[in-house]
C-alpha cells in the first residue's frame, strides 16, 4: 500500500488536470455553438457541455473510457468498429516481426561472439544503426512490398522485425561477453569445448541482458507495426484507427486507439517480464 | 551467370576482412567495418544492375547518390524544417522540462515514488501515437512536431535525471554534512555534477527518439516541406531514389546529432571512468 | 598532552540503539569519555564494537538515543553547524570532476571563504601534506596514498580544531601507511589539533596516540583507556623499543578481556 499510494495520488492528479484541461480547451466551441443558437450558457451548462461534446478538442477521461469500453466490449470482435479486432491485427504483425527479429538478432550475436571477422565487420554498423531513425523507412517498405504484390501482415512484420533486430543483437552480444576472463579461463582449465563454454557459461550469463533487450525490442516492434499501418490504404490495425480518426476529427476514436495501443505495449512488456522472472528463478539468478 | 562475380566480390572481401581481423591493430579495426560497408554497397549496385531491378523497388546506390546530389536545396529545406525546427527545438525543450521537473520533485520522495513508476511505464508506450492529437492542437507546422518530440523525450530524460540525482554515495553525503552544507550547496556542488553521466545517457537515448518523433509526426499532416512529408509523397510518386536520399539525410543527421551530444558528454563528464583516457 | 585541563569533547553515558528487523541493536551503551585539547585519541576494537559509530556520533552524523555529548561546550549538532570538525573517511571520497585544488576548495566555498583566502589556504595545506605541485591534477590521476593525503588536506583547510579520522589508512599498503603515520604525527605536532582516530591496527594506535581507547562489541562500549607513556618525539624505530612492545601488549590484553566470552 505504501508503494501504491504515491502512484495513485499522481494518477488522480493527472486525471484532475485532464478534466480541467478538457473544460478549458473545449469551452471555446461550446460558447461558439451557444452564440450561434443565440443562447447564454450558465457555468454549469458550459462545463456539462465541454465534457460531453461529440468531437471535443480534448475528450474527457470518462468519454475515452466509454469509447474504450464500447470498442472492446460493445462490438462483435469481427466488426470493423471493434478495437479488439484492430488490436489483434496489430498484435499479430507485431508478434510475427518480433519473433523473426529477435531470433535473427540472437543468432547473429552468437556468430559475432565466436567470429572475429563478423564482429569487426558487423558490430560497428549495428551500434551506429541505433542512432539512425530507421522508423522513417516504414512507409517505403509498405509501398514497395505492395507494388510487388505483398500486402497484409508481412510488410508490417518486416518493419517490426527490422526494429526489434538491433536492440536484441546489441544486448545479446553484451550478454554473451558478460563472463569475465577468470570464468572463461576456468572453462579452459577444464578443457571445455567451445560449445560447452557456450551452453554452460555464455548463454546462461547472457539471460538478464537478453530479457532487458527483448523488452525494448517488443516495444519497438509495436511502434513499428503501428507506423507501418499509417500509409494510405491500410484499413485495419490500431495505426489505421489513429489515422482515420485524425482525418475525420474523431478525437474519442484517436484516444481510444491510443489507450488500446498503450495497454498492448504494457501487456507485452509485462508478459516478457513474467517470463524473465520465471526463467531467472529457475536458473537461480533471481533474488 | 551474373551471380558469379557477385559471389566473387563477396568472398574476396570477406577473405580480406578475415585476414585483416586477425591482425587486430587499431588501423584494421577501422578498416574492417569500412571494407564491409563498401562491399555491401558494391554488391547492392551489382545486384541491381545485373538483375535489372526496377528503381521503384530498389534503386542502386549510384541512383540514390545522384538524387541526393541533384536535390541538395530541397533536402536542406527539409532538414531545416524537420531536424532543426521540429526535432532539435523539441528535444531542447523536453530535456529542459525533464531536468527542471527532476530537480523540482527531488525534495519530495512521495512525488518521486509516484512519478517514477509512471515515467518508466510511459517510456515503454508507443507515444508516437499522440502525434495525430498534437497535430490537431498545434497545427501542421513545426510546432506540433516539436510538441510530439517534447512528449517523447521527456520521460526517458526524467527517469535518468532522477536516478542521477540519487547517485551520490553515503560517504560524499556525509562529507557534505560535516561541512554543514545547505540543500542548494550540496545540489550544485555535489549532486548535479554526479548526475551528469546519467543525464547524458538519457540525452543520448533520446536523440534518435527526437528524429523519429519529428519525421513520423509529419505523416499525420505537415506543410509542403519536411522529411516525413517528402518521404510519404515521394513514395506515392514512386520516386524511390529521392526517398532513399531522405533516408540518407536522416542517417547522417541521426549520427551527427548523437555524435555531437557524445562530444559534449566527453567534455562535461571527462572525469567519469568510462570517459577517461 | 599536558594536565588535561581543557576538555573539548565530553561524552556522558552516551547510548545509541538502531531499530532493526531482529529487534534493537545496541551500537553504543553507556559511553563515558573526555577528550582534551591537543589529545591524539585512538579508538581500537573488533568489528561492531561501535568505534566508527562513536566517531560519527561526535561529528553529529548519528544522533545518540541517550546520554549527553558536548563538543566545545555545545551539543554535537551545533558544533557541526559551527564547522568544528574536519572528517577523514576510510576512502578518500574526492570528487572526480574537481582537481585536487578544487576538492580542497570545496568546503571552503561552502563555508564562504573569499577567493584569495581559498588560494592561500589550498597552497598551505597542499604543502602540509607534501602534495605541492599536484593541485592541478585530478584525483584519479594520483595513487591511493596521495589521494588520501589530499583528503586529509581537505579536512585541514578550514582550520577546524578537531580532526576525526575513520581508518584513514586502512585501505593502503604497509609501506605507504608507515610514511603517512609519520607525516600525520608531524602534522599533529605542527598544528596542535585534537585528533580522534579509528583503527584496526594495534601498532598504528600505539605509535600515534596519547591515549588509546579499547572498545568491545555487543553492546558497543569502552572497556579500557590506556595512557601512552611514549615521548612526543616518535621516530618509526620507536616501535622496536621495549616500552612500545609493552604498550602493544597492554592493548592486546585489553582487546582480549573485552572478548573473553568468545
Amino acid at each position: 500500500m505504501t508503494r501504491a499510494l504515491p502512484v495513485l495520488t499522481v494518477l488522480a492528479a493527472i486525471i484532475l488536470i485532464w478534466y480541467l484541461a478538457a473544460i478549458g480547451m473545449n469551452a471555446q466551441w461550446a460558447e461558439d455553438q451557444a452564440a450561434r443558437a443565440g443562447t447564454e450558457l450558465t457555468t454549469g451548462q458550459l462545463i456539462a457541455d465541454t465534457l460531453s461534446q461529440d468531437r471535443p478538442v480534448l475528450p474527457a477521461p470518462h468519454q475515452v473510457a466509454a469509447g474504450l469500453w464500447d470498442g472492446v466490449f460493445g462490438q462483435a470482435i469481427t466488426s470493423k468498429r471493434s478495437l479488439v479486432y484492430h488490436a489483434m491485427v496489430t498484435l499479430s504483425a507485431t508478434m510475427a516481426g518480433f519473433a523473426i527479429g529477435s531470433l535473427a538478432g540472437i543468432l547473429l550475436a552468437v556468430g559475432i561472439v565466436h567470429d572475429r571477422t563478423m564482429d569487426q565487420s558487423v558490430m560497428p554498423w549495428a551500434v551506429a544503426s541505433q542512432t539512425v531513425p530507421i522508423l522513417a523507412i516504414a512507409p517505403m517498405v509498405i509501398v514497395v512490398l505492395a507494388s510487388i504484390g505483398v500486402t497484409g501482415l508481412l510488410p508490417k512484420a518486416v518493419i517490426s522485425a527490422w526494429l526489434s533486430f538491433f536492440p536484441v543483437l546489441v544486448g545479446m552480444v553484451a550478454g554473451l561477453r558478460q563472463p569475465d576472463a577468470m570464468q572463461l579461463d576456468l572453462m579452459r582449465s577444464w578443457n571445455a569445448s567451445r560449445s560447452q563454454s557456450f551452453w554452460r557459461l555464455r548463454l546462461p550469463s547472457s539471460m538478464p541482458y537478453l530479457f532487458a533487450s527483448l523488452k525494448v525490442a517488443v516495444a519497438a516492434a509495436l511502434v513499428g507495426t503501428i507506423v507501418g499501418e499509417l500509409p494510405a490504404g491500410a484499413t485495419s490495425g490500431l495505426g489505421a484507427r489513429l489515422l482515420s480518426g485524425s482525418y475525420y476529427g474523431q478525437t474519442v476514436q484517436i484516444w481510444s486507439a491510443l489507450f488500446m495501443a498503450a495497454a498492448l505495449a504494457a501487456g507485452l512488456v509485462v508478459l516478457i517480464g513474467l517470463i524473465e522472472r520465471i526463467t531467472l528463478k529457475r536458473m537461480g539468478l533471481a533474488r | 551467370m551474373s551471380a558469379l562475380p557477385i559471389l566473387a566480390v563477396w568472398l574476396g572481401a570477406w577473405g580480406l576482412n578475415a585476414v585483416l581481423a586477425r591482425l587486430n591493430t587499431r588501423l584494421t579495426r577501422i578498416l574492417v567495418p569500412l571494407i564491409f560497408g563498401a562491399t555491401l554497397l558494391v554488391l547492392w549496385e551489382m545486384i541491381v544492375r545485373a538483375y535489372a531491378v526496377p528503381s521503384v523497388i530498389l534503386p542502386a546506390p549510384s541512383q540514390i547518390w545522384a538524387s541526393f546530389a541533384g536535390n541538395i536545396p530541397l533536402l536542406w529545406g527539409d532538414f531545416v524544417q524537420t531536424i532543426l525546427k521540429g526535432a532539435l527545438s523539441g528535444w531542447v525543450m523536453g530535456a529542459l522540462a525533464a531536468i527542471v521537473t527532476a530537480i523540482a520533485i527531488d525534495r519530495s520522495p512521495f512525488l518521486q515514488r509516484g512519478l517514477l513508476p509512471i515515467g518508466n511505464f510511459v517510456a515503454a508506450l508507443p507515444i508516437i501515437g499522440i502525434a495525430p492529437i498534437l497535430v490537431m492542437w498545434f497545427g501542421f507546422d513545426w510546432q506540433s512536431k516539436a510538441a510530439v518530440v517534447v512528449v517523447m523525450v521527456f520521460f526517458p530524460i526524467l527517469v535518468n535525471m532522477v536516478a542521477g540525482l540519487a547517485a551520490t554515495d553515503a560517504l560524499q553525503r556525509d562529507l557534505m554534512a560535516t561541512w554543514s552544507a545547505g540543500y542548494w550547496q550540496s545540489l550544485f556542488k555535489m549532486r548535479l555534477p554526479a548526475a551528469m553521466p546519467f543525464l547524458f545517457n538519457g540525452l543520448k537515448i533520446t536523440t534518435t527518439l527526437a528524429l523519429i518523433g519529428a519525421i513520423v509526426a509529419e505523416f499525420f499532416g505537415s506543410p509542403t516541406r519536411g522529411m516525413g512529408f517528402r518521404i510519404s509523397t515521394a513514395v506515392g510518386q514512386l520516386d524511390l531514389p529521392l526517398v532513399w536520399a531522405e533516408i540518407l539525410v536522416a542517417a547522417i543527421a541521426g549520427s551527427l546529432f548523437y555524435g555531437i551530444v557524445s562530444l559534449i558528454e566527453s567534455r562535461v563528464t571527462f572525469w567519469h571512468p568510462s570517459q577517461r583516457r | 598532552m599536558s594536565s588535561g585541563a581543557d576538555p573539548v569533547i565530553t561524552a556522558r553515558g552516551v547510548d545509541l540503539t538502531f531499530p532493526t528487523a531482529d529487534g534493537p541493536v545496541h551500537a553504543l551503551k553507556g559511553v563515558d569519555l573526555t577528550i582534551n585539547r591537543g589529545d591524539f585519541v585512538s579508538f581500537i576494537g573488533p568489528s561492531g564494537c561501535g568505534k566508527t559509530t562513536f566517531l560519527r556520533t561526535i561529528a553529529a552524523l548519528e544522533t545518540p538515543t541517550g546520554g549527553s555529548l558536548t563538543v566545545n561546550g555545545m551539543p554535537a549538532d551545533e558544533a557541526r553547524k559551527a564547522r568544528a570538525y574536519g572528517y577523514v573517511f576510510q576512502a578518500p571520497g574526492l570528487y572526480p570532476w574537481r582537481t585536487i585544488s578544487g576538492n580542497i576548495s570545496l568546503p571552503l566555498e561552502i563555508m564562504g571563504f573569499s577567493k584569495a583566502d581559498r588560494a592561500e589556504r589550498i597552497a598551505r595545506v597542499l604543502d602540509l601534506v607534501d602534495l605541492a605541485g599536484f593541485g592541478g591534477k585530478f584525483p584519479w590521476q594520483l595513487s591511493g596514498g596521495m589521494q588520501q593525503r589530499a583528503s586529509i588536506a581537505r579536512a585541514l583547510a578550514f582550520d577546524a580544531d578537531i580532526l576525526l579520522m575513520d581508518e584513514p589508512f586502512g585501505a593502503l599498503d604497509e609501506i605507504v601507511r608507515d610514511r603517512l603515520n609519520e607525516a600525520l604525527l608531524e602534522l599533529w605536532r605542527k598544528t596542535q589539533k585534537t585528533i580522534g582516530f579509528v583503527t584496526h591496527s594495534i601498532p598504528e594506535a600505539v605509535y600515534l596516540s596519547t591515549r588509546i581507547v579499547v572498545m568491545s562489541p555487543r553492546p558497543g562500549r569502552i572497556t579500557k583507556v590506556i595512557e601512552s607513556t611514549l615521548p612526543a618525539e616518535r621516530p618509526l624505530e620507536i616501535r622496536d623499543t621495549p616500552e612500545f612492545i609493552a604498550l602493544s601488549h597492554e592493548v592486546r590484553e585489553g582487546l582480549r578481556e573485552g572478548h573473553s566470552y568468545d
Side-chain angles (χ1 to χ4, degrees), chain B residues 4-231:
Chain B
L4 266 180
I6 294 170
L7 209 62
V9 170
W10 171 253
L11 289 178
W14 191 258
L16 177 62
N17 264 357
V19 173
L20 286 175
R22 203 155 298 150
L23 296 175
N24 206 18
T25 64
R26 186 185 289 180
L27 181 69
T28 60
R29 272 164 196 270
I30 299 168
L31 269 180
V32 169
L34 287 182
I35 292 174
F36 181 73
T39 310
L40 287 189
L41 282 182
V42 170
L43 289 177
W44 179 352
E45 185 82 39
M46 287 173 81
I47 289 171
V48 169
R49 288 188 182 205
Y51 294 96
V53 179
S55 79
V56 293
I57 292 175
L58 186 68
S62 56
Q63 288 172 290
I64 296 169
W65 180 252
S67 176
F68 180 84
N71 288 302
I72 296 272
L74 186 77
L75 294 172
W76 175 254
D78 292 346
F79 172 82
V80 170
Q81 170 74 14
T82 304
I83 307 293
L84 298 186
K85 287 188 184 164
L88 197 61
S89 66
W91 182 76
V92 169
M93 285 189 278
L96 286 179
I99 294 169
V100 169
T101 308
I103 293 173
I105 66 171
D106 177 54
R107 294 188 92 163
S108 165
F110 185 82
L111 270 183
Q112 283 185 25
R113 281 202 304 271
L115 264 179
L116 270 193
I118 293 177
N120 274 318
F121 176 71
V122 174
L125 298 182
I127 305 183
I128 189 70
I130 61 156
I133 295 160
L134 294 180
V135 169
M136 274 184 194
W137 289 357
F138 295 98
F140 280 179
D141 210 350
W142 64 270
Q143 290 88 347
S144 61
K145 316 304 177 289
V148 173
V149 174
V150 167
V151 180
M152 283 184 81
V153 304
F154 178 79
F155 285 102
I157 298 178
L158 175 72
V159 170
N160 272 284
M161 189 66 192
V162 169
L165 285 174
T168 49
D169 56 36
L171 191 152
Q172 292 179 329
R173 288 196 298 273
D174 282 350
L175 269 173
M176 282 288 166
T178 65
W179 304 330
S180 80
Y183 171 80
W184 293 106
Q185 284 177 324
S186 341
L187 182 67
F188 280 107
K189 307 236 179 234
M190 170 178 72
R191 300 176 56 224
L192 278 183
M196 284 303 136
F198 290 80
L199 173 63
F200 272 97
N201 186 33
L203 292 179
K204 283 195 297 189
I205 301 173
T206 51
T207 53
T208 322
L209 284 182
L211 297 196
I212 290 176
I215 294 173
V216 173
E218 287 180 2
F219 297 161
F220 289 96
S222 66
T224 53
R225 61 183 177 280
M227 297 168 68
F229 166 79
R230 196 74 59 206
I231 290 174

Side-chain angles (χ1 to χ4, degrees), chain C residues 17-225:
Chain C
T17 51
F18 293 116
T20 68
D22 309 326
V25 168
H26 284 268
L28 294 173
K29 193 166 172 63
V31 174
D32 288 313
L33 188 71
T34 304
I35 298 178
N36 294 322
R37 187 164 306 283
D39 269 356
F40 195 129
V41 179
S42 286
F43 299 89
I44 191 165
S47 304
C49 71
K51 52 192 192 299
T52 293
T53 309
F54 186 52
L55 205 69
R56 289 173 64 85
T57 313
I58 297 176
L61 293 173
E62 309 283 352
T63 312
T65 43
S68 79
L69 180 68
T70 59
V71 178
N72 290 337
M74 49 182 139
D77 201 47
E78 278 177 38
R80 176 177 73 86
K81 286 177 184 143
R83 282 136 181 175
Y85 318 102
Y87 206 110
V88 180
F89 292 90
Q90 177 165 12
L94 297 168
Y95 295 74
W97 54 85
R98 282 174 172 254
T99 60
I100 296 299
S101 292
N103 267 283
I104 299 172
S105 165
L106 182 58
L108 303 176
E109 287 165 27
I110 286 171
M111 297 172 191
F113 287 84
S114 76
K115 199 171 179 192
D117 197 8
R118 292 206 299 264
E120 184 269 318
R121 280 164 183 271
I122 291 165
R124 179 164 56 81
V125 292
L126 276 179
D127 212 32
L128 215 54
V129 297
D130 209 12
L131 278 179
F134 288 94
K137 293 271 185 208
F138 283 94
W140 30 276
Q141 295 169 325
L142 302 186
S143 71
M146 288 165 104
Q147 288 183 30
Q148 196 55 284
R149 262 156 45 207
S151 84
I152 294 172
R154 180 174 59 180
L156 293 171
F158 47 96
D159 278 328
D161 31 286
I162 304 169
L163 192 55
L164 300 174
M165 308 179 88
D166 184 3
E167 293 190 52
F169 309 135
L172 304 177
D173 69 60
E174 192 91 23
I175 300 160
V176 176
R177 194 172 176 151
D178 276 354
R179 230 184 35 238
L180 289 184
N181 277 338
E182 224 181 345
L184 179 61
L185 268 187
E186 176 69 23
L187 196 87
W188 171 64
R189 259 197 307 276
K190 268 194 226 161
T191 57
Q192 286 300 311
K193 288 194 187 302
T194 310
I195 297 182
F197 189 96
V198 165
T199 178
H200 265 120
S201 152
I202 296 174
E204 192 173 59
V206 174
Y207 177 68
L208 291 171
S209 323
T210 56
R211 284 157 83 206
I212 300 155
V213 176
V214 181
M215 297 183 74
S216 96
R218 285 179 299 269
R221 65 193 186 279
I222 294 176
T223 47
K224 199 169 187 182
V225 178

Side-chain angles (χ1 to χ4, degrees), chain A residues 2 5-7 9-11 25 57-58 115-118 120-122 124-125 130-133 135-137 139-140 143-144 147-148 219 222-223 226-227 230 242-243 245-246 249 251 254-255 258 261-262 265-266 269, chain B residues 14 17-18 21-22 24 28-29 32-34 36-37 56-57 110-111 113-115 117-118 121 124-126 128-130 132-133 136-137 208 211-212 215-216 219-220 231 235 238 240 243-244 247 250-251 254-255 258:
Chain A
T2 47
L5 187 66
V7 177
T9 313
V10 172
L11 278 179
M25 293 174 75
V57 179
L58 175 63
D115 184 77
R116 185 181 283 165
T117 315
M118 229 186 208
Q120 293 191 5
S121 303
V122 179
W125 295 106
Q130 302 276 58
T131 67
V132 175
L135 203 57
I137 66 165
M140 185 191 67
V143 170
V144 166
S147 77
I148 54 172
L222 181 62
V223 173
I226 291 176
V227 173
L230 289 183
L242 284 177
L243 196 68
S246 87
T251 42
I254 299 179
W255 282 91
L258 194 55
V269 172
Chain B
W14 191 258
N17 264 357
R22 203 155 298 150
N24 206 18
T28 60
R29 272 164 196 270
V32 169
L34 287 182
F36 181 73
V56 293
I57 292 175
F110 185 82
L111 270 183
R113 281 202 304 271
L115 264 179
I118 293 177
F121 176 71
L125 298 182
I128 189 70
I130 61 156
I133 295 160
M136 274 184 194
W137 289 357
T208 322
L211 297 196
I212 290 176
I215 294 173
V216 173
F219 297 161
F220 289 96
I231 290 174
V235 162
L238 296 178
L240 268 288
V243 175
W244 279 96
I247 289 167
S255 313
Y258 189 90

Side-chain angles (χ1 to χ4, degrees), chain A residues 25-46:
Chain A
M25 293 174 75
N26 301 336
Q28 186 65 47
W29 196 79
E31 278 168 0
D32 288 352
Q33 284 298 99
R36 200 168 300 160
T39 52
E40 279 290 314
L41 284 175
T42 64
T43 314
Q45 286 171 320
L46 178 70

